[in-house]
Amino acid sequence: MTNPKKMNMIEAVNAALHAACEADANVLVLGEDVADREEGGVVGVTRGLSTKFGDDRVKSTPISEQAIMGAAIGASLIGFRPVAEIMLMNFVTVAMDMITNHAAKLRFMSGGQTSVPIVIRTMTGSGFSQGGQHSDFLEAWFAHTPGIKVVMPSNPSDAYGLLLSAIRDDDPVMFVEPMALYWTPGEVDFQPVPLGKARIVQEGADVTIISYSIGAVHSAAAAVELAKEGIAAEVIDLRTVSPWDRETVLASVKKTGRAVVVHEAVKEYGVGAEISSVIHEQLWSDLKGPVQRVGGAYSPVPFAKPLEQAFAPNAASIVAAVRAALA
Amino acid sequence: MTNPKKMNMIEAVNAALHAACEADANVLVLGEDVADREEGGVVGVTRGLSTKFGDDRVKSTPISEQAIMGAAIGASLIGFRPVAEIMLMNFVTVAMDMITNHAAKLRFMSGGQTSVPIVIRTMTGSGFSQGGQHSDFLEAWFAHTPGIKVVMPSNPSDAYGLLLSAIRDDDPVMFVEPMALYWTPGEVDFQPVPLGKARIVQEGADVTIISYSIGAVHSAAAAVELAKEGIAAEVIDLRTVSPWDRETVLASVKKTGRAVVVHEAVKEYGVGAEISSVIHEQLWSDLKGPVQRVGGAYSPVPFAKPLEQAFAPNAASIVAAVRAALA
Amino acid sequence: MSNYPKPDAATLLAMYKSAALIRLNDERVIKEMTAGRLMMPFYSTQGQEIIPSAVAANLTDEDYICTIYRGTHDMLAKGFPLEALWGELAGRVNGSCKGKGGPMHLTYPQKGMMVTTGIVGSSMPIAVGLGWGAKLKGKGQVSVANFGDGAANIGAFHESLNLAALWDLPVIFLCQNNRYAEHTSFANSTRVKNISMRAAGYGMEGVTVNGNDPDEIYGAVRIAVERARAGDGPTLIEAMTFRFNGHLVGDAAGYIPRDELADCREKDPVPALRTRLIADGIANEADLAGIEAEIKAAIETAVAAGYAGALPDIAELKRDVFAYELA
Amino acid sequence: MSNYPKPDAATLLAMYKSAALIRLNDERVIKEMTAGRLMMPFYSTQGQEIIPSAVAANLTDEDYICTIYRGTHDMLAKGFPLEALWGELAGRVNGSCKGKGGPMHLTYPQKGMMVTTGIVGSSMPIAVGLGWGAKLKGKGQVSVANFGDGAANIGAFHESLNLAALWDLPVIFLCQNNRYAEHTSFANSTRVKNISMRAAGYGMEGVTVNGNDPDEIYGAVRIAVERARAGDGPTLIEAMTFRFNGHLVGDAAGYIPRDELADCREKDPVPALRTRLIADGIANEADLAGIEAEIKAAIETAVAAGYAGALPDIAELKRDVFAYELA
Ligand SMILES: Cc1ncc(C[n+]2csc(CCOP(=O)(O)OP(=O)(O)O)c2C)c(N)n1
Ligand SMILES: Cc1ncc(C[n+]2csc(CCOP(=O)(O)OP(=O)(O)O)c2C)c(N)n1
Ligand SMILES: [Mg+2]
Ligand SMILES: [Mg+2]
């Protein structure tokens, strides 16, 4: 697969999984309903894998997230590279011990004797009227956990390239797929995308908007609005939230002197707080004003449409934050 | 119990639990080894409660944190006020679903029809050579979770007063007890301490040091060092991390123009990031320099003494951060 | 099961009314969704109506139930008001949860409907807590945890059954075994032939019955309720049944063999009960037609009333996060 | 059990050597702690020596084990090098984990010691993963999960046994039932008389044996290992035993009836095996005295070598968090 192709993120992730399994016989896939007997996943992300690579390497599991993560961790300790699916991000809560006390720590606690090269794929996001237990973005928990990386693509091409790199990476990676972008088509060039490297979505001299995942899409839309007002926003898609690309972000803010950080996760104690703090610490004298943050409301994700829409950031709320940053 | 008495935090928490059970027959206590048949807890924090208030209200449990939290949540839905112990904070990882998807969200998701007035008591902290899975401060996870409060006392008197308030509070509270301060005696006046109100440990005009739990103790020690250099630090003990006392903190930093936030939890994506961000957002023109943060290293808590000591903040690292803030 | 207590004529008629209400309401919901007037994940309960009808026939409004996303049948059987249901589905303020919970979090404490969860397995630990509270209140109340066959393989099941048995709690663990967990068949989720045999591993009574047979399920629940009220502890009931409409609306259930589907639909328990009522002379065609007409009318009224409710004000995002309204 | 394969003379002698090493080493560790030269939480394994000795007699270096904080016996039996052990206890760079893991996280992959966990229950899901990997490798390797009686009541147990049975994995779940979980007796943690009966709930073989009887435990493990190597799936072995020194060093175990303690100490399995070796003419007093002298000498050498190692450099905090060193 080399010539670029238009596809959506589901297809891109599926293609990356196929490529990874093809390239390395140690790559395994497990999770609820992931095999073709179960239709290759509830939305078909893993479709075709078990048929192509066999039921030994691609396994559907009972509803047992602790066992799913344990199976992935154990196999990874002896040379395999399991890609484990936790269907929705809220369900990491029943497997947190395996992820944070074990996957993230075994390399360190063993003094480097063992390592856990696993990828935890999960999807999430509001906008589907799924309410309080099926919509949360919890990346901040894992960014606060030393030893695990957090990768959050915003488009099919990055999803493909980042997933390839995550699977090849020798450490555990939490790979968060934004449901709201699953069906948005994009050009995929089938190239690996390095972890820890941000992408400048659009250049601009007036303000830097730093985001990732669905937030990066809203930020790009906001930039279009801002352009109409003559405001040139530089939009940065972090792609990897931990470790994040400080060089790219700091270089941009040094240039613009103003920054806004955007994510759908609850604003308080979210990823934006860390990025805002570092920018203030590193670029104090270059800043023309305080870094602004845009994030989800301090509440569980509500069901009713008007509330669900008010909960999450959008182009308008980002534009408002940029105006505040420029004020 | 009205006249002040000298006691350590274990005794203070024990006294508060006795007082709460005495005052309200709906207060329940559960957790591993909490009853007197099991010696009232591994360090005796719950000693005497089951003997005094009965084995129905004070129950030792099997090692089943999900069931412990579920038992507390269920009973709280019908009028009880359970105080559930999760022995060490790292073990919240096996009960995260109950805590974050349920305890924190049921009031909101039910449109206010139900509420979960529980207190989750847990202890943690480095310094006991317990290594990577028994030492973590994870308060940032819960501060990022709407619907649950986070209380973190730094001395016996606050532990007593905050625990009383937490038990009387109509919402779930994560109550984090710092092991390193368990055996430090202090004067206890047996008065309730309101949630959400910080305490100014020491006044000062040059810089504000904001902390809580063990960090507040190190900060006070740092202030003594700084005083010798003629630097007057104002030390604020947040006591409640979520919701935190913005008024007190912002008023202080408005006065000093400089701030340092301190906690033992890993610095990256920690509580300090939120506080730093808000200070920059709210007091931009009053700040003389960027807010500095002091926190745990970005690594699991190591076993070897020199590493364990290097992992956590101490008076010296806080003094260094203050110097940076003043530079 | 031959020696089980049997439902009398009045009870059978009441069970049919309940089952008919559940079926007709479920069809009505799907009609609204197909028409695009309701947007939400909806987990049809068609095929499982007899189970909750038999449960409700043995409970009072003082008894508690916890159920799951697939729970409208459990709710309606226990007397969930139709308008409060439709208001919630429509995301309106007249919904039981003011539109904030939605279909996955239906709650109605006045009649003991304490929790509806979207997390597999999580109805059990909370039901254990309700059982603990019921035991403490000493009024003979019972707590019922509804869950599916897939949920029987998650950790919460294990911890909940062990604790309920150890504490002799008045809890009924009702496994509605509809043969599938999302796309995974029961046979592909565990090696055992039935879930009820696991009860022995906790020193608990366990039984597997045909959940679609009014006599069997009524008798099994009655015995379990009597055991609970007598203070003789919990029971695990596995009620064999089938879901007619796939996992959620939109799922064509291609993973279910067509003949299995056809066979189950042919054994549709609702018309079967209807036929029996007539055969046994408990009611005649006219009686039942009248009852069904009444139910339909009541549903239509509720549908209209549901949509008639106002959409929640954005301020609701700040309410019910905590007991007080957020600033 | 009468038909169990019995250990031959050489095996019995090897088991005694292992048991003596474990006992003498454990006593030596406690001596260092009492002298204040070692500071750490230490979970003595005295009284449980026969179990791991019987396990190791049935395994090769290619087989995997996961154990818990109370795991030095499992480690030593499987060949954990003494110096690497003492270096780790002393927190020195010559420890197997460079001093970063400590007693609760001993690891030595060269001999299949993949994980030592401090989280109750967590050895099981990871051992399942090792078993999955072993099955994929197809070399007949076995994975052993060691855990305690208290761990049998946590969710991870349930999910792990179900998945291992469903996938026919070469895993042995070895419950070392020492009658207590911290301060809680087995009888107060569950209603069932033994844990092995739970195996039936997963369609797995399960057996309870006297873990202090060399024949019984050897035979049970041998059968389980043969089953696993033959591809016939997992086994749950409950080995009844007793911990002589309370939960951890410093615990006077006041919650254990004195006569129970006395009775168990009187049945001390290590001297019992020694006596038997002589009675059966497998070895004479002089042989055994010689063996013990050798072991003591080896331990002394290791103690000295352990302390002789260098303390880790602070830079180690930046190593082994990820594959690369942190900046
Ligand atoms: C912890 C967790 N894991 C996965 C899911 C996704 N999920 C929702 S329903 C479901 C199947 C549950 O099947 P079962 O327990 O049999 O109940 P049923 O839907 O058949 O009524 C799954 C896997 C979830 N909600 N929670
Ligand atoms: C999830 C979790 N909960 C609680 C603890 C605290 N804890 C450490 S050991 C222990 C008792 C375990 O008993 P058992 O499983 O019988 O093993 P043993 O110590 O007797 O060998 C407990 C409760 C823990 N480490 N992990
Ligand atoms: Mg099902
Ligand atoms: Mg034990």
Side-chain angles (χ1 to χ4, degrees):
Chain A
M1 286 204 194
T2 39
N3 19 8
K5 194 153 161 262
K6 213 173 182 53
M7 54 173 67
N8 66 30
M9 195 182 285
I10 293 175
E11 297 163 327
V13 170
N14 181 270
L17 289 169
H18 272 89
C21 288
E22 188 71 59
D24 182 351
N26 289 317
V27 173
L28 309 174
V29 175
L30 73 159
E32 293 150 14
D33 302 318
V34 299
D36 288 331
R37 184 183 59 196
E38 287 76 35
E39 301 191 331
V42 283
V43 289
V45 176
T46 53
R47 192 161 296 153
L49 291 166
S50 66
T51 302
K52 183 121 190 263
F53 302 103
D55 294 329
D56 296 339
R57 283 177 66 188
V58 181
K59 299 186 78 69
S60 288
T61 68
I63 307 169
S64 309
E65 281 78 5
Q66 292 188 71
I68 291 170
M69 290 314 312
I73 292 167
S76 78
L77 291 172
I78 53 176
F80 294 95
R81 293 184 174 270
V83 180
E85 176 176 306
I86 299 290
M87 199 174 289
L88 287 176
M89 194 162 202
N90 280 88
F91 314 152
V92 298
T93 52
V94 291
M96 281 300 275
D97 165 61
M98 280 293 128
I99 300 170
T100 65
N101 287 332
H102 294 88
K105 293 176 175 176
L106 289 179
R107 178 191 288 275
F108 186 89
M109 297 193 304
S110 71
Q113 295 179 97
T114 59
S115 63
V116 183
I118 65 173
V119 174
I120 304 167
R121 284 188 45 251
T122 191
M123 62 177 173
T124 195
S126 67
F128 295 84
S129 304
Q130 298 209 87
Q133 294 179 332
H134 281 52
S135 311
D136 291 334
F137 275 95
L138 303 171
E139 64 271 15
W141 291 358
F142 302 100
H144 187 51
T145 305
I148 184 167
K149 300 176 181 179
V150 181
V151 175
M152 304 185 68
S154 68
N155 60 71
S157 199
D158 283 352
Y160 180 96
L162 289 166
L163 183 52
L164 273 194
S165 300
I167 294 172
R168 292 177 191 168
D169 195 84
D170 289 329
D171 288 298
V173 175
M174 177 67 61
F175 191 87
V176 186
E177 300 165 14
M179 254 186 305
L181 301 177
Y182 256 169
W183 292 272
T184 310
E187 183 92 341
V188 176
D189 63 7
F190 306 106
Q191 296 308 311
V193 173
L195 304 189
K197 289 262 156 287
R199 182 172 62 92
I200 297 185
V201 179
Q202 149 173 342
E203 302 204 338
D206 302 334
V207 58
T208 303
I209 306 177
I210 301 133
S211 190
Y212 54 87
S213 190
I214 179 77
V217 172
H218 292 315
S219 298
V224 173
E225 287 309 306
L226 291 162
K228 295 178 187 159
E229 305 177 19
I231 299 168
E234 180 145 297
V235 178
I236 295 179
D237 181 347
L238 288 178
R239 303 199 287 197
T240 299
V241 165
S242 179
W244 60 288
D245 186 348
R246 289 175 168 232
E247 294 86 280
T248 301
V249 170
L250 295 178
S252 173
V253 181
K254 198 173 177 43
K255 177 180 75 179
T256 62
R258 297 187 165 91
V260 175
V261 193
V262 177
H263 51 64
E264 181 172 314
V266 168
K267 180 175 121 184
E268 286 77 10
Y269 300 92
V271 162
E274 175 69 21
I275 293 167
S276 167
S277 302
V278 170
I279 291 172
H280 288 113
E281 291 159 8
Q282 301 297 316
L283 299 176
W284 181 251
S285 46
D286 303 289
L287 284 173
K288 302 186 181 112
V291 179
Q292 300 294 321
R293 293 180 295 154
V294 181
Y298 184 80
S299 88
V301 177
F303 168 72
K305 260 298 160 229
L307 297 182
E308 188 184 29
Q309 283 162 349
F311 167 86
N314 54 35
S317 56
I318 297 167
V319 166
V322 168
R323 290 212 191 89
L326 292 164
Chain B
M1 287 204 192
T2 39
N3 19 6
K5 194 154 161 265
K6 213 173 181 59
M7 54 173 66
N8 66 29
M9 195 182 286
I10 292 174
E11 297 163 328
V13 170
N14 182 271
L17 289 169
H18 272 88
C21 288
E22 188 72 58
D24 181 352
N26 289 318
V27 173
L28 310 174
V29 175
L30 72 160
E32 292 150 17
D33 302 317
V34 299
D36 288 332
R37 184 183 60 195
E38 288 75 35
E39 300 190 331
V42 284
V43 290
V45 177
T46 53
R47 192 162 294 154
L49 291 166
S50 66
T51 303
K52 183 119 190 268
F53 302 102
D55 293 329
D56 295 341
R57 282 177 67 188
V58 182
K59 299 186 80 68
S60 288
T61 68
I63 307 168
S64 309
E65 281 78 6
Q66 292 188 72
I68 291 170
M69 290 314 312
I73 292 167
S76 78
L77 292 172
I78 53 176
F80 293 95
R81 292 183 175 271
V83 180
E85 175 175 306
I86 298 290
M87 198 173 288
L88 287 176
M89 194 162 202
N90 281 88
F91 313 152
V92 299
T93 52
V94 291
M96 281 300 276
D97 165 61
M98 279 293 127
I99 300 170
T100 64
N101 286 333
H102 293 88
K105 293 176 175 175
L106 289 178
R107 179 191 287 275
F108 186 89
M109 297 194 304
S110 71
Q113 294 179 98
T114 60
S115 63
V116 183
I118 65 172
V119 174
I120 304 167
R121 283 188 47 253
T122 190
M123 63 177 171
T124 195
S126 67
F128 296 85
S129 304
Q130 299 208 86
Q133 294 179 330
H134 281 51
S135 313
D136 291 334
F137 274 97
L138 303 172
E139 63 273 14
W141 292 358
F142 302 99
H144 187 52
T145 304
I148 183 167
K149 300 174 180 179
V150 181
V151 175
M152 303 185 67
S154 68
N155 60 71
S157 199
D158 282 352
Y160 180 96
L162 290 166
L163 183 52
L164 274 194
S165 301
I167 293 170
R168 292 176 192 169
D169 195 85
D170 289 329
D171 287 298
V173 175
M174 176 68 61
F175 191 87
V176 186
E177 300 164 15
M179 252 186 307
L181 301 176
Y182 256 168
W183 293 271
T184 310
E187 183 92 341
V188 176
D189 63 7
F190 305 107
Q191 296 308 310
V193 173
L195 303 189
K197 289 261 156 287
R199 183 172 61 91
I200 298 184
V201 179
Q202 150 174 339
E203 302 205 338
D206 301 334
V207 57
T208 304
I209 305 177
I210 302 135
S211 191
Y212 53 88
S213 190
I214 179 75
V217 172
H218 292 314
S219 298
V224 172
E225 287 309 305
L226 291 162
K228 296 177 186 160
E229 305 176 21
I231 299 170
E234 181 146 298
V235 179
I236 296 179
D237 180 348
L238 288 178
R239 304 200 286 197
T240 299
V241 165
S242 179
W244 59 289
D245 186 348
R246 287 175 169 232
E247 294 86 280
T248 301
V249 170
L250 295 177
S252 172
V253 180
K254 196 171 177 47
K255 178 181 74 178
T256 62
R258 297 187 163 92
V260 176
V261 194
V262 177
H263 52 65
E264 180 172 314
V266 169
K267 180 175 120 186
E268 286 77 9
Y269 300 91
V271 163
E274 176 69 21
I275 294 167
S276 166
S277 302
V278 171
I279 292 173
H280 288 113
E281 291 159 9
Q282 301 296 316
L283 299 176
W284 181 251
S285 46
D286 302 289
L287 283 173
K288 303 187 182 114
V291 178
Q292 301 293 323
R293 293 179 295 155
V294 181
Y298 184 80
S299 87
V301 176
F303 168 71
K305 260 298 160 229
L307 297 182
E308 188 184 27
Q309 283 161 350
F311 168 87
N314 53 34
S317 56
I318 297 167
V319 166
V322 168
R323 291 216 189 85
L326 292 164
Chain C
M1 284 138 213
S2 47
N3 60 344
Y4 275 7
K6 296 245 177 317
D8 58 23
T11 305
L12 277 172
L13 185 59
M15 284 170 62
Y16 177 71
K17 282 183 186 171
S18 166
L21 168 64
I22 293 165
R23 173 65 57 92
L24 291 165
N25 189 72
D26 196 281
E27 288 171 349
R28 192 68 181 78
V29 171
I30 293 172
K31 183 173 163 211
E32 285 303 292
M33 293 182 70
T34 319
R37 283 185 296 265
L38 281 184
M39 231 76 103
M40 60 184 181
F42 185 71
Y43 307 83
S44 170
T45 64
Q46 290 183 47
Q48 303 183 199
E49 295 88 349
I50 303 300
I51 299 168
S53 304
V55 170
N58 286 289
L59 301 183
T60 76
D61 290 353
E62 304 308 306
D63 296 314
Y64 305 113
I65 72 168
C66 291
T67 188
I68 61 174
Y69 50 89
R70 192 183 313 284
T72 47
H73 58 328
D74 300 319
M75 291 282 155
L76 287 171
K78 204 167 185 303
F80 199 101
L82 273 171
E83 176 180 340
L85 174 71
W86 280 89
E88 195 59 32
L89 299 186
R92 304 299 210 276
V93 296
N94 55 332
S96 62
C97 306
K98 299 193 263 173
K100 295 163 102 168
M104 265 197 268
H105 304 299
L106 295 166
T107 311
Y108 198 73
Q110 294 103 296
K111 286 178 173 284
M113 286 164 262
M114 306 310 294
V115 174
T116 296
T117 184
I119 308 297
V120 167
S122 299
S123 57
M124 291 177 269
I126 298 176
V128 166
L130 290 162
W132 181 30
K135 182 171 183 168
L136 287 166
K137 286 170 184 277
K139 303 208 223 85
Q141 295 157 286
V142 169
S143 167
V144 178
N146 292 282
F147 58 100
D149 46 292
N153 297 318
I154 200 163
F157 168 94
H158 183 66
E159 296 187 12
S160 301
L161 271 73
N162 186 63
L163 190 65
L166 183 67
W167 288 4
D168 256 325
L169 301 180
V171 180
I172 296 170
F173 295 94
L174 183 55
C175 179
Q176 299 189 27
N177 186 338
N178 58 16
R179 305 192 197 175
Y180 288 85
E182 278 191 346
H183 301 184
T184 301
S185 72
F186 179 64
N188 290 327
S189 73
T190 182
R191 279 246 182 263
V192 291
K193 293 276 150 293
N194 62 68
I195 292 303
S196 65
M197 68 178 290
R198 289 182 179 166
Y202 309 104
M204 186 187 300
E205 292 293 325
V207 59
T208 298
V209 297
N210 176 353
N212 291 358
D213 176 327
D215 295 323
E216 272 193 32
I217 182 65
Y218 173 87
V221 172
R222 169 111 172 246
I223 289 168
V225 168
E226 284 166 357
R227 177 178 296 130
R229 295 206 199 283
D232 296 335
T235 306
L236 170 59
I237 299 175
E238 179 180 27
M240 301 308 297
T241 184
F242 190 76
R243 33 157 244 224
F244 285 179
N245 296 326
H247 178 57
L248 44 57
V249 173
D251 170 16
Y255 47 85
I256 304 181
R258 297 298 102 175
D259 52 350
E260 180 181 358
L261 248 175
D263 172 68
C264 290
R265 290 179 178 287
E266 194 185 299
K267 301 207 187 79
D268 189 332
V270 181
L273 176 53
R274 190 182 199 280
T275 309
R276 169 178 170 183
L277 290 178
I278 295 172
D280 295 4
I282 293 171
N284 61 37
E285 176 57 42
D287 303 331
L288 299 178
I291 287 169
E292 290 146 8
E294 272 175 37
I295 292 172
K296 287 194 178 121
I299 292 172
E300 289 315 315
T301 311
V303 175
Y307 287 118
L311 288 167
D313 183 295
I314 301 307
E316 281 300 329
L317 274 177
K318 295 184 175 305
R319 301 189 188 120
D320 306 320
V321 175
F322 289 126
Y324 51 84
E325 181 163 351
L326 299 174
Chain D
M1 284 137 213
S2 48
N3 59 343
Y4 274 7
K6 298 243 177 312
D8 58 25
T11 305
L12 278 171
L13 185 59
M15 284 170 63
Y16 176 72
K17 282 185 186 168
S18 167
L21 168 64
I22 294 165
R23 173 66 57 92
L24 292 165
N25 189 72
D26 195 280
E27 289 170 348
R28 193 67 180 80
V29 171
I30 293 171
K31 183 174 165 211
E32 286 303 292
M33 293 182 71
T34 319
R37 284 187 294 266
L38 281 184
M39 232 75 103
M40 59 183 182
F42 185 71
Y43 308 83
S44 169
T45 65
Q46 290 183 46
Q48 303 183 200
E49 296 89 348
I50 303 300
I51 299 168
S53 303
V55 170
N58 286 289
L59 300 183
T60 77
D61 290 353
E62 303 309 306
D63 296 313
Y64 305 113
I65 71 168
C66 291
T67 188
I68 61 174
Y69 48 90
R70 191 183 314 282
T72 47
H73 58 328
D74 300 319
M75 290 281 155
L76 287 170
K78 203 166 186 305
F80 199 102
L82 274 170
E83 176 181 341
L85 175 71
W86 280 89
E88 195 60 30
L89 299 185
R92 303 300 211 277
V93 297
N94 54 334
S96 61
C97 307
K98 298 193 263 174
K100 296 164 103 168
M104 265 197 267
H105 304 299
L106 295 166
T107 311
Y108 198 73
Q110 294 102 299
K111 286 178 173 285
M113 285 163 264
M114 305 310 294
V115 174
T116 297
T117 184
I119 308 297
V120 166
S122 299
S123 57
M124 292 178 267
I126 298 176
V128 166
L130 290 163
W132 181 30
K135 183 172 183 167
L136 287 167
K137 286 171 184 277
K139 303 208 223 83
Q141 295 156 287
V142 170
S143 168
V144 178
N146 292 281
F147 59 99
D149 46 291
N153 297 316
I154 200 163
F157 167 93
H158 183 65
E159 297 187 10
S160 300
L161 271 73
N162 187 63
L163 190 64
L166 183 67
W167 288 3
D168 256 324
L169 301 180
V171 180
I172 296 170
F173 295 94
L174 183 55
C175 179
Q176 299 188 26
N177 187 338
N178 58 15
R179 304 190 196 175
Y180 288 86
E182 277 191 348
H183 301 183
T184 302
S185 72
F186 179 64
N188 290 327
S189 73
T190 182
R191 279 247 181 263
V192 291
K193 293 277 149 292
N194 63 68
I195 291 303
S196 64
M197 67 179 289
R198 290 183 178 164
Y202 310 103
M204 185 187 299
E205 292 292 326
V207 60
T208 299
V209 297
N210 177 352
N212 291 0
D213 176 326
D215 296 324
E216 269 193 35
I217 182 64
Y218 174 87
V221 173
R222 168 112 171 245
I223 289 168
V225 168
E226 284 167 358
R227 177 178 297 130
R229 296 209 199 281
D232 297 334
T235 307
L236 170 59
I237 298 175
E238 179 180 26
M240 300 310 297
T241 185
F242 189 78
R243 31 158 246 223
F244 285 178
N245 296 326
H247 178 55
L248 45 57
V249 173
D251 171 15
Y255 47 86
I256 302 181
R258 297 297 101 176
D259 53 349
E260 179 181 356
L261 248 175
D263 172 68
C264 289
R265 289 176 178 288
E266 195 186 298
K267 300 209 186 81
D268 189 333
V270 181
L273 176 52
R274 189 181 198 278
T275 308
R276 170 178 169 183
L277 290 176
I278 294 172
D280 295 3
I282 293 172
N284 61 37
E285 177 57 43
D287 302 332
L288 299 177
I291 287 170
E292 291 146 5
E294 270 175 39
I295 292 173
K296 286 191 178 128
I299 293 172
E300 289 315 315
T301 312
V303 175
Y307 287 118
L311 288 168
D313 183 295
I314 301 307
E316 281 299 329
L317 275 177
K318 297 187 174 299
R319 301 191 188 117
D320 306 320
V321 175
F322 288 126
Y324 51 84
E325 181 164 352
L326 298 174

